Amino acid sequence: MTAAPAPADVTRLPAIGIDIGGTKVAGGVVAPDGTILDTARRATPGKSVSATEDAIAAVVDELADRHGGPLVGVGVGAAGWFDRTGDTVLFSPHLAWRNQPLRKELADRLQRPLWVGNDADAAAWAEYRYGAARGSDLVVMITLGTGIGGGIVIDGRLQRGAHGVAGEWGHMRVVPDGRLCACGNRGCWEQYASGNALGTTAREVAVSSPAAAADLLDRVGGDPDRITGEVVAQAAADGDPLAIELLCEVGTWLGQGIADMAAILDPDVVVIGGGVSVLGETILAPARDRLERALPGRGFRPGPRVVGAELSSQAGLVGAADLVRRAVAEGEA
């Protein structure tokens, strides 16, 4: 085991960041300025807890061996709900973790200083430290992908909430008795403003008005069940009017949710990341328009800036690496 560097040294040393998704374990050696010096990845064996931990250890070992020099520690961001300490994964939608003591198990395996937490929290921290939210006092991150997640940074501190599950914006209920959500409730925000929502709405239109959805249906051999958010996004890029309208609708729902959050948190900036965010202004422009029209107290108060993330898919591992560096410096790792 390599001795942990003295706290005074950690601001000058790189760390390993790990981002665990449903299909891959991605890792990187990250310098203190956020630069990624090296990367490695493995497939995620999501149905096996031990095999997933094997994949994490393999990525860490590969990166550490190639780097050859001192490292602060390892930061791990994973999709799932963690307890407040980050010690235990309460639930992960795509992996086998259920009340899993992940921090202890990984610490025993890796024998390095460790930070473990939610991947969207890590991404929010990365955007605060190095990306679109640099210099902001109150940052809200929204990750748009299959669903909606996110994180909060207030006065330079990542906020996990009383029970560790803050930032699960996607499960705010915006439509009473609306679409059924995987969380068990109906009408959750992510059922109207996410990649899955885009596909769901497009399939509904294709069934009820096939003539209006002719271009989308042509792209999937006439089978409406094969229309996904990705299909709609490509059709919009090719100029299909219905696809463009559907993207605008998702953006409008996004803006409504931001307005509701602004009433509670009053953020300086809202950073939009995740896979759907690559659509850029196609989504962000209608979101800003809806925010301007729906912000409580509009006309008498400023609203948040709404900007796209700058670190894209690498935000999670960059943020996790910096969070373990911070934890070591503060004696918490």
Side-chain angles (χ1 to χ4, degrees):
M1 173 180 176
T2 302
D9 297 331
V10 299
T11 57
R12 301 194 297 271
L13 292 178
I16 292 177
I18 301 291
D19 186 13
I20 307 170
T23 61
K24 68 181 184 302
V25 175
V29 177
V30 183
D33 65 357
T35 302
I36 298 175
L37 306 176
D38 190 12
T39 61
R41 67 172 55 195
R42 295 286 190 283
T44 303
K47 294 183 179 180
S48 169
V49 170
S50 61
T52 299
E53 292 175 6
D54 288 344
I56 296 168
V59 170
V60 170
D61 289 344
E62 179 181 341
L63 290 170
D65 289 346
R66 282 207 300 258
H67 179 69
L71 294 162
V72 174
V74 179
V76 178
W81 292 7
F82 286 75
D83 68 2
R84 186 175 185 178
T85 65
D87 291 345
T88 301
V89 187
L90 303 174
F91 170 77
S92 180
H94 306 297
L95 301 167
W97 293 323
R98 301 291 185 273
N99 288 309
Q100 195 75 26
L102 182 63
R103 180 186 175 95
K104 180 182 184 304
E105 292 173 356
L106 286 181
D108 291 343
R109 289 285 301 271
L110 301 178
Q111 293 293 295
R112 294 175 181 273
L114 186 66
W115 178 91
V116 178
N118 177 266
D119 56 348
D121 282 347
W125 182 258
E127 291 293 339
Y128 164 72
R129 287 276 285 133
Y130 307 111
R134 290 187 302 274
S136 296
D137 293 327
L138 204 163
V139 179
V140 166
M141 174 97 180
I142 297 172
T143 54
L144 292 181
T146 302
I148 298 178
I152 315 166
V153 179
I154 299 176
D155 293 335
R157 306 293 299 187
L158 182 64
Q159 305 297 314
R160 284 179 158 177
H163 305 100
V165 293
E168 293 294 336
W169 320 119
H171 301 292
M172 298 188 302
R173 297 182 68 187
V174 297
V175 178
D177 300 320
R179 291 173 177 163
L180 180 64
C181 182
C183 76
N185 287 328
R186 287 187 175 274
C188 291
W189 189 26
E190 68 178 39
Q191 296 303 313
Y192 302 90
S194 66
N196 271 358
L198 184 59
T200 298
T201 304
R203 290 190 293 274
E204 290 173 349
V205 174
V207 170
S208 63
S209 303
D215 181 63
L216 292 177
L217 287 167
D218 285 345
R219 292 169 184 265
V220 295
D223 183 0
D225 289 338
R226 293 176 54 201
I227 298 175
T228 63
E230 290 83 359
V231 171
V232 179
Q234 184 56 58
D238 294 339
D240 176 53
L242 174 62
I244 293 170
E245 180 181 344
L246 293 175
L247 285 174
C248 183
E249 181 176 333
V250 167
T252 298
W253 275 112
L254 175 62
Q256 180 63 56
I258 293 171
D260 294 342
M261 285 195 298
I264 301 168
L265 291 172
D266 189 25
D268 173 37
V269 60
V270 176
V271 181
I272 310 298
V276 177
S277 70
V278 300
L279 297 170
E281 289 301 310
T282 309
I283 292 286
L284 296 183
R288 294 191 194 100
D289 180 65
R290 181 61 179 178
L291 170 62
E292 184 177 348
R293 291 184 288 114
L295 181 70
R298 54 195 173 277
F300 298 94
R301 54 162 290 187
R305 294 182 294 117
V306 178
V307 299
E310 293 182 2
L311 300 179
S312 65
S313 61
Q314 297 174 322
L317 69 87
V318 170
D322 195 61
L323 283 162
V324 73
R325 185 182 295 108
R326 183 184 182 95
V328 171
E330 296 181 354
E332 297 175 355

